[in-house]
Amino acid sequence: MRKPIIAGNWKMFKTRDEALYFILKVSTQMPDIEKVDSVVLSQAPLLRDLVKRQGDNLRVGAQNLYFEDEGAFTGEVSGPLLKSYNVDYVVIGHSERRNVFHETDTDVNLKLHAAIRNELIPIVCVGEHLEDRVSQKTNEVLKAQITKAFENVSRNDAQNVVIAYEPIWAIGTGRTATKEIADESCGYIRSLMKELYDEPLAQTIRIQYGGSVKPENIDELLAMENIDGALIGGASLDPDKFITMVKAALKRTE
Ligand code: 13P
């Protein structure tokens, strides 16, 4: 059985005080969990404060990294720096990075290699625009994104990657994909991993759904066969909601 992973993507929210309030509350109120991975993904300057307070029941990750390990790249954050702070996870190719900052599938591939090289656990995001879904191009878009992202990634490295399926039309809109749509696309991504690698890898790789996930809808999403967790934006900012959603994943393992 695949271990569920609940990740809170805070995006560009929370000051230091707000982040500390969150992590103190969550680390004391979260049950001891071995069967679920729970992660918060913060702005880079907060990471140092957060990693000091992370425990087995809550890990910390970054929202981005640059694909070179060092150099004259003003404003970027390197993999070696993240690793030296004991950060575990890094998000790659979030749709906001792709759309607002024009990251390409090639950037995503280079960043995935950078994360692997620096022993960070990558959360690679893919997802289609509304126009793609309406014109029935979802699978084509997902195939192009996944194929390029995993170019020259070995089987050994690929098996530790987490994939997040986040349809862009469902992000921050309150318009969650139905559980059937979410499951179908996660299942399609799983079939792509079988094509790229093999069936055992496709059956073990973890695929999250993201897009307007909240305590009210997480149970039905996590009940689906191909959905192994959630990447949560807005609802993850609230510590009580975050704990509730981690507990929902814990329930799924019982
Ligand atoms: P929301 O949960 O706010 O829709 O955001 C989803 C997301 O982009 C997580 O990475």
Side-chain angles (χ1 to χ4, degrees), residues 167-204:
I168 293 158
W169 47 271
I171 295 178
T173 57
R175 185 176 168 189
T176 320
T178 62
K179 57 185 193 302
E180 291 81 11
I181 288 181
D183 187 56
E184 189 189 354
S185 289
C186 290
Y188 177 67
I189 292 167
R190 206 175 289 294
S191 75
L192 290 173
M193 296 310 283
K194 180 180 169 185
E195 270 176 39
L196 290 179
Y197 298 95
D198 51 44
E199 176 71 17
L201 183 136
Q203 285 309 321
T204 49

Side-chain angles (χ1 to χ4, degrees), residues 86 96 99 125 174:
N86 222 4
E96 288 146 18
N99 296 332
C125 302

Side-chain angles (χ1 to χ4, degrees), residues 108-172:
V108 172
N109 174 250
L110 292 169
K111 289 182 175 202
L112 179 51
H113 282 284
I116 291 166
R117 193 165 65 235
N118 289 291
E119 297 173 348
L120 298 158
I121 303 170
I123 301 179
V124 174
C125 302
V126 293
E128 80 285 4
H129 286 276
L130 185 58
E131 309 85 86
D132 304 321
R133 181 153 290 273
V134 171
S135 57
Q136 302 189 332
K137 294 215 172 92
T138 300
N139 286 359
E140 200 180 303
V141 170
L142 294 177
K143 185 170 189 170
Q145 291 175 335
I146 290 282
T147 307
K148 186 66 192 176
F150 283 87
E151 196 172 270
N152 297 324
V153 174
S154 71
R155 182 188 192 283
N156 204 28
D157 291 328
Q159 65 191 357
N160 299 320
V161 175
V162 178
I163 299 174
Y165 168 60
E166 296 206 310
I168 293 158
W169 47 271
I171 295 178

Side-chain angles (χ1 to χ4, degrees), residues 9 11 94-96 166 170-173 210-213 231-235:
N9 175 9
K11 308 192 179 184
H94 190 278
S95 63
E96 288 146 18
E166 296 206 310
I171 295 178
T173 57
S212 299
V213 177
L231 181 56
I232 307 152

Side-chain angles (χ1 to χ4, degrees), residues 2 21 23 34 61 78 93 101 122 138 143 157 177 186 197 208 223 233 238:
R2 298 180 292 266
Y21 172 78
I23 198 143
E34 284 170 9
S78 76
F101 301 99
T138 300
K143 185 170 189 170
D157 291 328
C186 290
Y197 298 95
Q208 301 174 298
D238 178 322

Side-chain angles (χ1 to χ4, degrees), residues 195-226:
E195 270 176 39
L196 290 179
Y197 298 95
D198 51 44
E199 176 71 17
L201 183 136
Q203 285 309 321
T204 49
I205 197 157
R206 296 184 296 175
I207 306 178
Q208 301 174 298
Y209 166 75
S212 299
V213 177
K214 46 188 185 255
E216 294 77 15
N217 59 21
I218 194 163
D219 289 313
E220 60 174 35
L221 288 161
L222 293 185
M224 303 307 283
E225 189 187 336
N226 285 299

